[in-house]
Amino acid sequence: MVRILVIALLVEAAFAQTSTPAENSSPLAAAVAPAPANTSVEPAATVAASDTVLTIHGICSLSENALAAGANGCTVLVKREQFDDLMKIVAPGAQVTPASKQRLAKIYTDMVAFEGAARKSGIDSTAQFRETMEWLRLRTLADLYRRSLEKESSIVSEHEIDEYYRQHLPLFEEVKLRRILLPRNNFGDPGKQEFEKKALQTAHEMRQRAAKGEDLDQLQKEAYSDLGFNVLPPASEVGNRRRSALAPEVSEDVFALSPGEISRVENEPYSFVIYKVEEKKTLPELQVKEEIRREIIKQRLETALKSVTAGVRTEMNDKYFGAPAEP
């Protein structure tokens, strides 16, 4: 098992140094990628865990430890349980096809050959090798622990979902909106401040008329014409929106309205906007159940990850690292 783990880590490290950003960071994971839906997976129930599934001939430069771990003279024998462990290491949870098993076996064989040559050359006794293995040890332990936290965080009960829904009902409110939108700038007009002042005045006028029941589409067209725009204005229909889809200050104003009411003139980054709430409802729990599950998992995992590093402090030598970067 240790031998397989070491070679798997070395393969991952070697390919990570040579692969491009567009490539998978783990070539072994790519080799055992999930099978397409129409690809059958070879049954392996008749192969016992202790049966040899891979025999590698011609490897004669192994250490005594390596020979004791599964080599016989110039032959390396890999049992099914060892090869299965290798697949779990490089691609946990992946569905494996016969073709991907064969590709992985070829990669493993090549790495065993390189391992033998590397040991013969003495690379395994160098400081570079020890430092590399220490980094891989740290990375592997951290990755395995993260995976364990992810697994623990993913267990969410129905009661927890019910409680979250009841305690966060405002998050699941939804409104159907229409709006009048007026740009704050006309980039073809050199008088920016004057234009913005006129746009704001027009917005307040349209807001008063909208509150009296005038049609928003007609008001939108009239406002664009008053401001000198020769393009078609945007439609007043916005559709359904949740709180998270609006800026916090806008969301607070809009969700305080009842159906049929008009908002104040909202000062958004690029526009003056008047909203009208047409409908308002709270989404049923069943509709947002999976959303709640994902949010609980996310919050749990973030809390667990932060707890690991919460008590850790770092001091850096500025002469080596340079002055701390600005936040």
Side-chain angles (χ1 to χ4, degrees), residues 85-135:
D85 286 339
L86 175 61
M87 290 191 294
K88 292 175 184 176
I89 292 169
V90 299
Q95 187 180 27
V96 183
T97 65
S100 62
K101 287 181 185 178
Q102 294 164 17
R103 290 195 297 272
L104 181 55
K106 178 63 170 65
I107 293 174
Y108 180 73
T109 298
D110 289 346
M111 290 299 101
V112 170
F114 274 95
E115 182 207 21
R119 288 182 183 277
K120 188 175 181 181
S121 73
I123 287 179
D124 60 323
S125 300
T126 63
Q128 182 184 17
F129 176 77
R130 290 193 298 272
E131 291 164 1
T132 301
M133 292 308 299
E134 175 60 14
W135 169 251

Side-chain angles (χ1 to χ4, degrees), residues 30-84:
V32 290
N38 60 351
T39 303
S40 60
V41 179
E42 180 185 26
T46 57
V47 181
S50 59
D51 287 350
T52 297
V53 295
L54 178 64
T55 304
I56 306 173
H57 302 284
I59 307 297
C60 303
S61 57
L62 299 171
S63 66
E64 292 182 2
N65 289 338
L67 289 168
N72 181 13
C74 292
T75 303
V76 177
L77 305 177
V78 181
K79 302 181 185 301
R80 177 192 168 178
E81 62 181 351
Q82 294 175 309
F83 198 82
D84 287 348

Side-chain angles (χ1 to χ4, degrees), residues 137-150:
R137 184 187 72 83
L138 290 172
R139 191 188 73 176
T140 301
L141 283 172
D143 287 345
L144 290 175
Y145 188 62
R146 285 192 187 96
R147 290 180 193 174
S148 71
L149 292 179
E150 290 173 1

